[in-house]
Amino acid sequence: MIFFLFEFAVNHFFLFTLCCLVVSTVVLKCMDHIRTSMNIEKAQKQREDSLHLMEKVITGFKEQHPDVDTGHIVSLTLSQLVDQLKKGSLTAESALIAYTEKALEVNKELNCLTDFLSECEAQLQEVKKQKEKGLLYGVPITLKDNVGYKGHDSHCGLVQFLGIVDQEDSVIVQVLKKQGAVPFVKTNIPQSMINFDCSNSIFGQTLNPHNHKKTCGGSSGGEAALIAGGGAVLGVGTDVLGSIRMPCSFCGICGLKPSGNRLSSLGFSTPVSGMKSAVMMPGPMARDVDSLALFMKAVLCDDMFQLDPTVPPVPFRDEIYNSSKPLTIGFYDTDGYFLPTPGMKRAIQETKALLEEAGHKLVPFSPPRIEYALNELCIRGFFADGGSTLVEKFNADIVDPNLKQQMLLYKVPTLVKKIISFFMRPIFPRIANHVDAHCGVGSVKQLWKHNTAIKEYRCEYINEWKKLNLDALLCPMLGPAFNIGCPGKLFAGFCFTMLFNILNFPAGVLPVTTVTPEDEEELKHYKGYYNDLWDKEVIMGMQDGAGLPLAVQCVALPWQEEQCLRLMKEVENVTRGKINM
């Protein structure tokens, strides 16, 4: 009898303990959810207050200066704007208000702003006190949300980072201010910035200015949407897999990813720090190539080299950018891994023909071992830890619907990924290899081997480049813009851009044409190389894209940003007004 009572008590004790654990877990999750919701509501309220402040500033200025033609100001190119500001025919206050007003207008349509940098008015007064007018004197400039700015947070689209205020400006911002620029807003990004859509659980979805059913791209999507919508003349983005180039392509503007460490990234936030396989770089985004070149010339100065001594003290080389010497340009319209859509292929072929007409030499180029580079070097290196560090950042967050499919893959245990990959391989070999690459490297020893493999592949690629004596490379760029929600189902869309992050080559994009009805019709019959789920997703993502911008990508060897921009300028010269735009 005593034994029975003891056994009954023990069993019920364990049952009671188990119930307590379950209840406490549920309660803790509910509390986390409530805390997350409260943090999101607070951030949304802060943004709403900052937008109201923008309206107040605009109203106050217009009451005192009713004759200022803000429409004319925002229609100027960057070079025209700088020229008029320096001459004094246009005041810096007028330029700031004109772009503040236009940014607010664009935001109401596209939802691209996250913060108003109210210190811009004080910064403007500091600019006016400068003895020498910098290269960007009085220019209103915009920042991707992860760019550090004193007194504001850089949340990466994650609740966990909300309220962590930057104690000082990032080096890039400090240099821009010294050159006379006036940062005035921050722009939206996708949750965790590991997506080429632009939506997060805090501020929601940013739309494409050309078609609101389409995404603006990511992760520098808010920047691209704002610039394409006319609400900014120059912006700062970041690129680790294509995060400048993808949104620039989707929105029809220009963007440059410099070589790793050509510019300082000190003071930029990221959800995964310490990852070396693909180097995150800040870079300019603008309406034309000359604006990108002016940005690079402005920031590659003694101020940057002193603030961040790890940046090589190499100023911008005007003689290369302004050269008129004919170029030897390598080109390809497919890499053998991801078949470009009809519009993408046409963009390359027509641009090639126009460059040849302009006197340049175009040479066919075949990128070596492309699938190996993308999966084994880029994806496996980017997710070297199997994605665990990234997943941790979502512990206090609500996963954005556009990211759920990606997150599902990241959360799956490594062993399960390997099993899934094994059984998928006979049916969907390309997707199976992609899933397997997400298992990461497995150990420190394997990480060392992986880093060595990247160096060896970079040498192999450069050797192929040198055999053809190339100056630069012309290659496809993903486009047109995807329908909202589709990028999260096709992470491999980064394949056109992330190769050059692994190689650490400078790469830029610019629009050259638009999607035609014929491109749309041909897309219906697109089967890609594998006719697998990804190829089918391309059709779903890109359909109904008639009239949307199509871009090409220009690439140069490491530390040759000027040469990359030179090719971009040549492409801009030959395509503007000659190809359907």
Side-chain angles (χ1 to χ4, degrees):
M1 185 67 177
I2 294 173
F3 177 79
F4 173 76
L5 290 172
F6 177 76
E7 185 179 24
F8 179 81
V10 169
N11 288 339
H12 280 69
F13 173 76
F14 282 121
L15 182 62
F16 175 75
T17 304
L18 181 61
C19 289
C20 287
L21 285 172
V22 171
V23 170
S24 61
T25 301
V26 171
V27 170
L28 286 172
K29 284 189 174 182
C30 287
M31 289 177 65
D32 285 341
H33 183 79
I34 292 170
R35 193 178 298 113
T36 297
S37 298
M38 289 175 65
N39 287 335
I40 290 174
E41 288 176 10
K42 182 180 178 181
Q44 291 173 343
K45 176 67 165 55
Q46 288 175 340
R47 179 175 75 156
E48 206 60 38
D49 290 343
S50 72
L51 296 179
H52 286 316
L53 182 57
M54 289 175 73
E55 292 176 342
K56 185 178 179 180
V57 169
I58 294 164
T59 302
F61 179 86
K62 286 199 157 186
E63 286 176 352
Q64 297 179 20
H65 306 86
D67 297 329
V68 173
D69 185 356
T70 56
H72 168 70
I73 295 172
V74 298
S75 70
L76 298 173
T77 65
L78 178 60
S79 59
Q80 290 170 338
L81 179 64
V82 171
D83 183 59
Q84 292 194 24
L85 286 167
K86 285 187 174 181
K87 286 180 179 177
S89 58
L90 181 67
T91 67
E93 288 89 349
S94 298
L96 178 59
I97 291 300
Y99 273 104
T100 301
E101 181 181 43
K102 187 62 178 178
L104 199 57
E105 177 188 322
V106 173
N107 181 69
K108 289 176 182 177
E109 180 186 351
L110 306 179
N111 186 40
C112 53
L113 303 183
T114 61
D115 199 2
F116 174 50
L117 307 176
S118 58
E119 300 88 345
C120 61
E121 293 183 280
Q123 168 60 18
L124 188 60
Q125 299 309 313
E126 290 298 315
V127 167
K128 292 168 70 175
K129 293 177 185 176
Q130 292 176 354
K131 293 180 180 179
E132 291 187 17
K133 294 180 179 180
L135 292 176
L136 296 172
Y137 175 77
V139 174
I141 194 167
T142 57
L143 309 175
K144 183 178 179 179
D145 201 275
N146 70 319
V147 181
Y149 193 92
K150 185 178 180 179
H152 297 258
D153 61 17
S154 307
H155 55 72
C156 298
L158 293 163
V159 172
Q160 187 175 134
F161 290 174
L162 286 173
I164 303 175
V165 175
D166 291 313
Q167 298 304 305
E168 62 179 359
D169 291 336
S170 57
V171 167
I172 282 283
V173 168
Q174 292 181 56
V175 176
L176 287 168
K177 285 182 175 180
K178 288 177 181 291
Q179 287 287 4
V182 183
F184 72 105
V185 290
K186 280 193 166 192
T187 54
N188 203 26
I189 50 179
Q191 190 175 36
S192 78
M193 304 193 296
I194 313 296
N195 194 321
F196 63 95
D197 206 326
C198 191
S199 178
N200 58 67
S201 61
I202 307 165
F203 299 123
Q205 178 77 48
T206 300
L207 308 176
N208 189 300
H210 303 288
N211 183 334
H212 293 179
K213 293 181 180 178
K214 301 284 184 175
T215 177
C216 60
S219 62
S220 306
E223 280 297 309
L226 184 62
I227 294 168
V233 69
L234 182 64
V236 181
T238 60
D239 191 308
V240 71
L241 292 175
S243 295
I244 286 175
R245 290 162 288 162
M246 201 74 81
C248 286
S249 171
F250 284 10
C251 292
I253 64 170
C254 304
L256 174 71
K257 177 207 80 71
S259 308
N261 214 40
R262 183 77 197 264
L263 302 180
S264 175
S265 59
L266 287 180
F268 286 65
S269 62
T270 172
V272 182
S273 59
M275 189 271 299
K276 298 294 184 183
S277 297
V279 183
M280 183 195 79
M281 278 306 298
M285 301 167 69
R287 301 173 198 162
D288 55 57
V289 178
D290 279 341
S291 298
L292 305 180
L294 180 58
F295 175 96
M296 293 298 290
K297 186 175 180 179
V299 297
L300 289 172
C301 63
D302 288 340
D303 289 319
M304 174 169 287
F305 307 144
Q306 290 171 8
L307 287 166
D308 186 356
T310 66
V311 174
V314 182
F316 189 81
R317 292 161 291 187
D318 276 307
E319 67 276 11
I320 297 176
Y321 178 62
N322 293 321
S323 172
S324 57
K325 177 184 175 182
L327 297 171
T328 300
I329 304 165
F331 79 94
Y332 60 89
D333 58 16
T334 181
D335 58 13
Y337 177 73
F338 203 121
L339 183 68
T341 60
M344 293 167 64
K345 203 165 187 177
R346 178 176 60 80
I348 286 287
Q349 292 168 344
E350 291 182 352
T351 303
K352 167 190 173 288
L354 289 171
L355 286 169
E356 287 176 324
E357 287 178 17
H360 301 288
K361 181 180 179 182
L362 276 291
V363 181
F365 180 82
S366 298
R369 299 191 293 157
I370 193 72
E371 184 170 1
Y372 163 79
L374 296 175
N375 282 329
E376 294 306 311
L377 301 183
C378 191
I379 298 297
R380 196 174 294 281
F382 194 84
F383 296 100
D385 63 348
S388 61
T389 301
L390 181 62
V391 169
E392 287 173 2
K393 301 300 187 297
F394 286 81
N395 289 342
D397 217 323
I398 299 168
V399 178
D400 185 84
N402 294 334
L403 202 65
K404 283 187 175 179
Q405 188 163 317
Q406 281 179 238
M407 285 303 299
L408 181 63
L409 176 59
Y410 303 154
K411 289 181 177 180
V412 169
T414 297
L415 179 60
V416 178
K417 288 175 189 169
K418 287 186 176 295
I419 293 170
I420 292 171
S421 174
F422 176 80
F423 285 106
M424 285 182 74
R425 190 161 283 113
I427 309 169
F428 302 120
R430 179 172 60 163
I431 300 175
N433 292 335
H434 179 78
V435 171
D436 184 71
H438 279 79
C439 293
V441 297
S443 68
V444 173
K445 183 178 181 179
Q446 290 303 314
L447 181 61
W448 291 345
K449 289 182 177 180
H450 178 269
N451 291 338
T452 301
I454 289 176
K455 291 181 181 179
E456 290 172 347
Y457 180 78
R458 188 179 296 133
C459 289
E460 179 184 351
Y461 202 100
I462 291 173
N463 286 337
E464 293 299 314
W465 184 293
K466 288 184 174 179
K467 284 179 186 177
L468 300 174
N469 198 29
L470 302 180
D471 293 311
L473 182 66
L474 177 73
C475 49
M477 183 62 216
L478 187 67
F482 274 45
N483 291 314
I484 289 171
C486 289
K489 302 172 186 175
L490 195 66
F491 187 80
F494 275 122
C495 71
F496 294 99
T497 54
M498 62 185 175
L499 174 66
F500 302 111
N501 294 85
I502 282 292
L503 290 170
N504 203 12
F505 288 10
V509 301
L510 73 160
V512 296
T513 185
T514 56
V515 178
T516 65
E518 291 77 17
D519 294 331
E520 274 281 289
E521 188 59 35
E522 287 185 51
L523 180 65
K524 295 176 183 177
H525 309 289
Y526 176 89
K527 295 187 183 298
Y529 284 118
Y530 294 83
N531 197 25
D532 57 16
L533 298 174
W534 283 355
D535 289 326
K536 290 178 172 60
E537 193 61 43
V538 168
I539 300 174
M540 295 294 293
M542 292 187 179
Q543 64 186 0
D544 302 322
L548 291 178
L550 288 168
V552 294
Q553 188 169 199
C554 301
V555 183
L557 290 175
W559 310 107
Q560 295 293 327
E561 282 72 20
E562 298 87 349
Q563 191 76 288
C564 180
L565 288 166
R566 162 86 200 283
L567 174 56
M568 292 177 70
K569 185 62 179 177
E570 294 293 335
V571 170
E572 185 178 65
N573 288 338
V574 301
T575 58
R576 292 291 161 93
K578 294 185 179 180
I579 291 180
N580 175 41
M581 281 288 287

